[in-house]
Amino acid sequence: MPAFPFLSRRALLALGLASLAAGPALADDPAPATAAAPAQVYPIEISHAFGTTVLTEKPQRVVTVNWANHEVPLALGVVPVGFAAANFGDDDGDGLMPWVKARLDELGAEVPPLFDEGDGIDFEAVAATRPDVILAAHSGLSQSDYDILSKIAPVVAYPGQPWTTEWREMIRMNSAGMGMVAEGEALIADLDARIAAAAAAHPVLQGKTALFVTHLDPRDLSRISFYTDNDTRVRFFHDLGLQSPGAVIEASATGRFAGEISAERIDDLNDVDIVVTYGTQTLIDRLSTHLLTRRMGAISRQSIVLLQNDPQGTAAHPTPLGIPWVLDDYVAALAAAAEAGAD
């Protein structure tokens, strides 16, 4: 399978020709640390869930919509002319996650227009930025959203199902839409190395099973909902060496990104080593005293990672700039949960 399956055969050939034109590196003449990547040759075609987007030249004005797509251009040194305001985990209310604000500061850039997507995409605001391309590889675009955005500029949409694009694929597709395929691959390699180092520092995680429970209401624990292997939060578990328990594997086969089990079947979750969820101590207290949920081994051991609606709470949803910002703390919390009750 080609490294970039969303690119057309013609685009892949063009990339190969560009690499050949650059010539091989000489062994006794090492390339400088800032060596430029081969130029991407246009036109290119990017396939996605809504068809194929054709880019005839390298975009100069990049806009992104929906969650975290703006982090790809920012990580690659390009400031979008507009992107969505953060609507989860933004504890100071400025519309920016702290790692996004830090990156803008590093680039010496002003905050561009932020789109309010509380009621959906603000198409007028997007159009006002006069974009050359709209990046949305990780998004929940509907067909209608895509059709409207496509009248504004070429759109790079998600490859499969809404909201399920894994972080590497998001980087690959969005960087391709910017004409920066090689730079995108370098970013992935850097993040993979960081993740591997963090996992290696906590070997207790290797082979453990983790269940990512969706938001629970402490007043009603009759059913336990959880994310499946089709969700990016669970895929990030696998990046860290964690495995999915049987219930998650079974639910994943349906293609859905979430599953559910009755609390009366709580024994089916006894192969879970770690529970990750959103909530407060009130939730843990309730889980620990509830007639059924307290029978779950991970609950009785307190092998729980509790996330809040704050920047740290977004750690579970990996993004290009968020990963290095919160990785160490998140992995340490998972490791502490894995070790809970070991004595």
Side-chain angles (χ1 to χ4, degrees):
M1 177 179 290
F4 314 111
F6 51 84
L7 290 175
S8 69
R9 186 183 301 274
R10 179 172 62 180
L12 288 168
L13 176 60
L15 283 171
L17 291 174
S19 298
L20 290 173
L26 300 178
D28 58 352
D29 183 20
T34 57
Q40 191 160 308
V41 179
Y42 290 86
I44 65 169
E45 299 175 1
I46 301 176
S47 299
H48 49 72
F50 300 108
T52 302
T53 293
V54 179
L55 298 172
T56 58
E57 59 184 358
K58 182 176 175 64
Q60 300 302 311
R61 297 179 63 82
V62 176
V63 153
T64 74
V65 296
N66 284 184
W67 175 257
N69 289 289
H70 55 286
E71 294 188 23
V72 177
L74 284 171
L76 299 180
V78 175
V79 180
V81 294
F83 57 83
N87 56 17
F88 179 86
D90 176 25
D91 55 356
D92 62 5
D94 65 356
L96 301 172
M97 300 306 294
W99 44 86
V100 171
K101 179 63 168 63
R103 183 58 174 158
L104 287 169
D105 290 344
E106 288 176 0
L107 297 173
E110 298 293 327
V111 178
L114 301 179
F115 310 138
D116 181 357
E117 295 188 347
D119 295 320
I121 296 172
D122 187 340
F123 299 107
E124 291 186 2
V126 173
T129 65
R130 298 177 291 108
D132 297 323
V133 69
I134 300 170
L135 305 181
H138 182 70
S139 68
L141 297 185
S142 66
Q143 181 70 60
S144 176
D145 292 336
Y146 176 78
D147 292 342
I148 296 172
L149 289 172
S150 295
K151 294 178 181 179
I152 300 172
V155 181
V156 178
Y158 48 82
Q161 298 297 317
W163 298 120
T164 61
T165 310
E166 189 255 0
W167 65 267
R168 295 175 185 83
E169 193 73 353
M170 175 176 67
I171 292 174
R172 287 193 173 106
M173 294 192 71
N174 283 341
S175 63
M178 298 168 59
M180 301 180 71
V181 167
E183 293 89 340
E185 285 300 309
L187 174 60
I188 292 170
D190 175 71
L191 292 174
D192 272 330
R194 290 172 182 261
I195 291 169
H202 298 280
V204 67
L205 295 177
Q206 301 308 304
K208 292 291 193 300
T209 59
L211 181 75
F212 201 121
V213 177
T214 64
H215 295 77
L216 283 175
D217 183 348
R219 299 166 298 181
D220 182 8
L221 298 177
S222 61
R223 305 195 71 81
I224 307 297
S225 298
F226 52 85
Y227 295 111
T228 72
D229 289 340
N230 302 310
D231 186 87
T232 58
R233 282 160 281 216
V234 178
R235 293 186 206 174
F236 196 45
F237 283 160
H238 303 325
D239 288 342
L240 299 171
L242 293 164
Q243 298 178 359
S244 290
V248 172
I249 294 172
E250 181 180 350
S252 300
T254 66
R256 296 177 299 174
F257 68 88
E260 187 178 73
I261 192 170
S262 168
E264 295 177 352
R265 295 176 53 202
I266 201 69
D267 291 344
D268 291 352
L269 299 178
N270 273 339
D271 60 342
V272 174
D273 295 316
I274 304 168
V275 171
V276 180
T277 192
Y278 301 97
T280 65
Q281 184 62 40
T282 299
L283 175 60
I284 292 182
D285 294 343
R286 181 61 178 140
L287 287 169
S288 301
T289 57
H290 186 273
L291 180 64
L292 296 176
T293 57
R294 69 184 184 185
R295 287 168 32 193
M296 184 177 170
I299 300 297
S300 64
R301 294 191 305 271
Q302 296 290 286
S303 298
I304 304 170
V305 175
L306 203 59
L307 302 175
Q308 309 293 328
N309 182 10
D310 59 17
Q312 181 63 34
T314 67
H317 193 134
T319 63
L321 295 177
I323 288 174
W325 188 278
V326 298
L327 180 63
D328 290 342
D329 288 342
Y330 185 48
V331 177
L334 290 168
E339 293 169 344
D343 298 332

